Amino acid sequence: AEEEADKILDAEGSLALADSYYVDEEFSEAIDLYAVSISTASATATLFRAFSHKASALFRLERSAEAKEDLQVALEQYSTVGGLRSGETEAAFYRLGLVCRDLNQEQQALSAFQKAHELATLNQ
């Protein structure tokens, strides 16, 4: 159990540090730390955040195809788990809309934006 706790702290710590790099617009460093968080996380909410936030950093570096893949993993595998904060899932769908629009996938972008709006409305 102690080993498991260390693993979660490592993943959470990596995620927090990655978020600080993101805020400082050091996106490559953030991406590397999000990858560390993904490889060490066992908590599904942490995995959701790491994939979603990593996708945002990838998008900022104009790596939209990779961002889309990470968002799809976050949304398809981890978005229905407990432990997510209010607004996290709709933010991921909104990011997916931006990414799809950037990739000229207009219908997928529209669907993602609609899903984000629907979730935002439910959370009001």
Side-chain angles (χ1 to χ4, degrees):
E2 185 179 318
E3 210 174 275
E4 190 69 21
D6 288 344
K7 197 182 246 192
I8 292 171
L9 290 175
D10 289 345
E12 289 288 336
S14 299
L15 181 61
L17 188 55
D19 285 343
S20 344
Y21 277 110
Y22 182 93
V23 169
D24 290 339
E25 297 187 6
E26 295 179 33
F27 302 117
S28 293
E29 293 83 354
I31 289 166
D32 291 342
L33 283 163
Y34 289 130
V36 169
S37 184
I38 288 165
S39 69
T40 57
S42 57
T44 50
T46 302
L47 285 163
F48 176 87
R49 288 183 193 107
F51 275 108
S52 181
H53 295 189
K54 181 176 166 229
S56 189
L58 287 164
F59 180 69
R60 296 291 300 266
L61 291 177
E62 300 180 3
R63 293 166 58 185
S64 294
E66 293 169 84
K68 182 180 177 186
E69 289 174 19
D70 279 357
L71 285 165
Q72 287 174 319
V73 169
L75 290 165
E76 291 169 11
Q77 294 182 28
Y78 304 115
S79 67
T80 57
V81 301
L84 295 181
R85 296 178 199 112
S86 178
E88 285 188 296
T89 306
E90 62 252 37
F93 274 109
Y94 181 76
R95 285 183 187 124
L96 182 60
L98 293 174
V99 165
C100 288
R101 188 177 65 190
D102 191 57
L103 294 169
N104 295 315
Q105 298 170 344
E106 300 301 330
Q107 192 54 50
Q108 288 179 6
L110 182 60
S111 294
F113 286 136
Q114 287 172 333
K115 184 68 176 174
H117 176 73
E118 176 186 313
L119 289 168
T121 303
L122 288 174
N123 288 332
Q124 286 183 350

